[in-house]
Structures are given as C-alpha cells and as structure tokens.
Amino acid sequence: MNDNYLKLKAGYLFPEIARRVKAFCDGNPEAAKRLIRCGIGDVTEPLPDAVRTAMHAAVDELGKRETFRGYGPEQGYEFLRSAIAVNDFRAKGIEVADDEIFVSDGSKCDCGNILDILGNRNRIAVMDPVYPVYVDTNVMAGHTGDALEGGGYEGLVYLPCTEANGFVADVPTEAVDLVYLCFPNNPTGSVATRAQLEAWVAYALRHGAILLFDAAYEAYISDPSIPHSIYEIPGARECAIEFRSFSKNGGFTGTRCAYTVVPKSLKARTGAGELHPLHGLWNRRMSTKFNGVPYIVQRGAEALYSESGRAQVADLITHYMGNAAVLREAAQGAGLSVWGGVNAPYLWVKTPAGMTSWEMFDRMLAEAAVVITPGSGFGSAGEGYFRISAFNSRANVEEVGRRIRAIAW
Ligand code: MLT
C-alpha cells in the first residue's frame, strides 16, 4: 500500500462536515427539517437552458448510427478547445492556442493529476488557509513529511494569509519550485491585484518555479482591474499552468467539465538539470490515463459560449453574488467582521471573540441549523474564521441571514 495515505489527518474536510451534519440530523430530526447548507460550495440552480438544449441535441446525435461517436479525443473535442481558447483568452487579447487547452472532468482532479508530470523532490508552497486538495494530493504522492502538531505537514512551505495582508500572501523570501495560487480565493474570497500577480510571475521566473494557478472562480470577478487569468501577466506563459472549471459558472459541479491550460512555452528542469517543455508530458499523461469527457457534456459546455449561454451564465453569477451581498449584510449587521463575497462566492468571517472555528460550526448547527465551513479545516491560519458559501437559493440565504442576526453573538 501507499503508506503516505496514513499521514493524512482525519477525513477530507467536506466528508468530515457531512459526518457531523448527519450525526446532528440523526439526533435532532425536527431541527434537521430546517437545515440549510452553506458549507460546501456546490451550486444549487438548474443547468442553463442553452446547455440542456445542446445536450439533448447531442443525445439525439448519439442515437443515430450516422452521427454516433465512441471514444473522443483524450484532450477534448476540437469544437470545445477552440471555443475556450477563443472566448476565454484570445478575444481578451491573451495568447493561448487551441491545443494548449486540455478538457477534463474537473479542476479538483487536474490539481491532483498534475503531480504526475512533476518531480518528487520539489519544494512546494501553499497558502494558509488553503483549498485542502493542493495539500492532500501532495501528501498522497509522498511529497511531504508527517502531519505537524499545530497543523500542516512537514516539508511544505506555508504562506500565511491574514487580515494584515488582505488574505493574499506575499512572495516568499526563500526559493521554492512549485506554488499553488487560487484567485478568486477559496476559502477567503480574496482576489490578487495585477501588481500582486506580477510579483508572483517575477518570483517564478527568477527562481525557475512553476505557478499552479487555480482560477475556478474567475467568473465571479466584478472589479475590472482584477485579472481573470494568470496569462494576463507578461511572462506567465513561461512559468504557469492554469486550471479553469465550468462547475461554478455553468453549474457543472455534477455534470463535470473543466480544463487546464499548459502553454507550449512552459519548461521545467529534468533530473539532469536540462529544460524540457511540459506540454507534451501532460498530453501523454491525458492520453494514457484519461479517455475524455463525454461528448454530450462537452457539447453542453460549448453552449455556455453561445449568446444565450453567456446571458444565462451572467444570470447565475448575478444570482449567487446577490446571495453573497445578502449574507455579507446579515453577518455585518450581526456585528461580525466579514471579508470576501464581493469578487467571489465565498465569505470569510471572523468568529466572535474566543470561539474556535469548530465551536462556531457546532454553534451555527445547533442554534441556527445552518452548515458553514470551519476555517481551521483549511489550515492553521484559518483558525478563528469560518466560510459561508453563497451557493444557494435566495430564499435560503435570506433565511440564513435572519438566523445569523437572531443569535446573540
Ligand atoms: C468548496 O466548497 O471548497 C468547493 O466546493 C470544493 C470544490 O470545488 O472542489
């Protein structure tokens, strides 16, 4: 067996929350009927009409011998790779070629899978708090030592994101080889300015480091000065891989479709110290270990770029960000300190004096029947905070707002 799995602390955060919520519901069947989940960032609104129409048409194509399709290209169908490269990048003046796009079944999967093409002796930096997948996949791959007493794992470089730095870590003083960046950030909802991203790109080029840039929430950026892609920064094509997802913009969390951009100009060092492009390695990895996203799903994703698809995505974003505004106002009205929820669907809230994140989780569950995510589940710098997800119906978030205000904090 892979002993590295034994190093992993407790369960993955969300299954652990699910376990606690189930125990609460089993013990409090009446309260369970009022339960509102603002924990995991899972979308609640139906798939856009444009997507469903395209999927229905694709199903019908597969129902006829003349238009039936079996295995598709492992990298994604040309029609989707091209729609992505044109609409998400080239139309915005960002250089990305169609064949630098690799369509996949999710950014979470790709964030873990990318380790297949990277070495085992890299020094790896993550933010703290951090989306747990970046850390746990490295633990599983044996890239860390044991779990540390105070949280985290031996061998990783943790970059604290605090109130003082606006929850955007500064570049480290030491040299690292790999850096995970997530903007808009999960869990804090912070965004990085152009100047901050320029500093990261300059750092990576200086140290020969690679930035793993998770932009799964880019559609939520409303501030026109905030970059949506790391490739808006000159030099990023030489040092960054970007992960994008249709989960949170098109509502594909269950449908599954995402993509990863690996520029052909991105090189990494071989064990012998020579520079070698990564694009071919990722292509090889996908061809060997993946058989592509279903045709029906890729046709659905393509429809997100149609005129009606774009309008429907915009409506979804408006809806979730309207929820974020309701939750922000309620939490602030209750006297709590709140960050995020402006360019991101997550609110990062300070627990009232003296409460730990899990105590807050238990109190919200017991007194308000609301599920939130404890900040400490994202890392030790998350202790003393909790995350509220804005992915919900408007009626539910309004009710959550009333319940937050009703508690005597
Ligand atoms: C979250 O709640 O952090 C997200 O749903 C996780 C994910 O997208 O995998």
Side-chain angles (χ1 to χ4, degrees), residues 141-406:
H143 297 166
T144 72
D146 288 330
L148 297 166
E149 268 306 302
Y153 290 88
E154 208 182 345
L156 290 182
V157 176
Y158 287 91
L159 305 175
C161 297
T162 61
E163 286 172 39
N165 61 23
F167 300 103
V168 179
D170 295 324
V171 299
T173 44
E174 61 194 295
V176 301
D177 305 302
L178 275 185
V179 184
Y180 287 84
L181 296 177
C182 174
F183 293 113
N185 188 257
N186 179 9
T188 66
S190 65
V191 282
T193 62
R194 184 170 298 274
Q196 285 168 322
L197 293 180
E198 280 168 357
W200 275 110
V201 168
Y203 171 89
L205 294 175
R206 195 160 64 242
H207 293 287
I210 291 176
L211 305 177
L212 299 175
F213 191 80
D214 184 350
Y217 299 94
E218 63 76 32
Y220 289 85
I221 295 173
S222 54
D223 179 339
S225 73
I226 301 294
H228 288 239
S229 166
I230 192 69
Y231 304 119
E232 290 181 47
I233 310 299
R237 285 183 55 83
E238 280 66 52
C239 65
I241 291 173
E242 183 163 303
F243 304 97
R244 292 266 191 119
S245 172
F246 297 112
S247 285
K248 313 290 162 101
N249 59 356
F252 274 51
T253 53
T255 310
R256 309 307 307 154
C257 196
Y259 66 89
T260 289
V261 186
V262 184
K264 284 180 230 151
S265 45
L266 173 66
K267 294 181 180 160
R269 287 200 185 276
T270 64
E274 280 153 21
L275 284 170
H276 192 89
L278 283 177
H279 182 270
L281 273 68
W282 186 244
N283 192 42
R284 187 73 169 79
R285 189 261 166 216
M286 294 300 271
S287 317
T288 303
K289 292 198 180 182
F290 191 53
N291 261 332
V293 173
Y295 175 69
I296 299 162
V297 172
Q298 292 194 55
R299 279 293 185 203
E302 180 195 27
L304 292 169
Y305 295 103
S306 66
E307 204 181 319
S308 56
R310 281 165 197 278
Q312 288 157 22
V313 167
D315 287 347
L316 285 172
I317 305 289
T318 304
H319 166 77
Y320 292 125
M321 289 314 290
N323 286 353
V326 169
L327 291 166
R328 256 182 85 88
E329 211 184 297
Q332 282 168 341
L336 299 170
S337 303
V338 186
W339 293 265
V342 176
N343 291 293
Y346 295 124
L347 287 85
W348 190 242
V349 188
K350 200 166 183 161
T351 58
M355 282 176 85
T356 67
S357 300
W358 278 109
E359 282 167 1
M360 185 71 192
F361 174 88
D362 290 337
R363 192 162 170 205
M364 285 286 279
L365 197 53
E367 294 181 32
V370 170
V371 182
I372 47 100
T373 309
S376 57
F378 297 102
S380 53
E383 182 56 273
Y385 297 88
F386 63 101
R387 190 191 79 175
I388 313 181
S389 158
F391 291 111
N392 223 313
S393 66
R394 184 58 51 84
N396 272 356
V397 299
E398 281 170 352
E399 178 58 20
V400 169
R402 279 191 286 276
R403 293 186 199 173
I404 289 177
R405 284 176 194 269

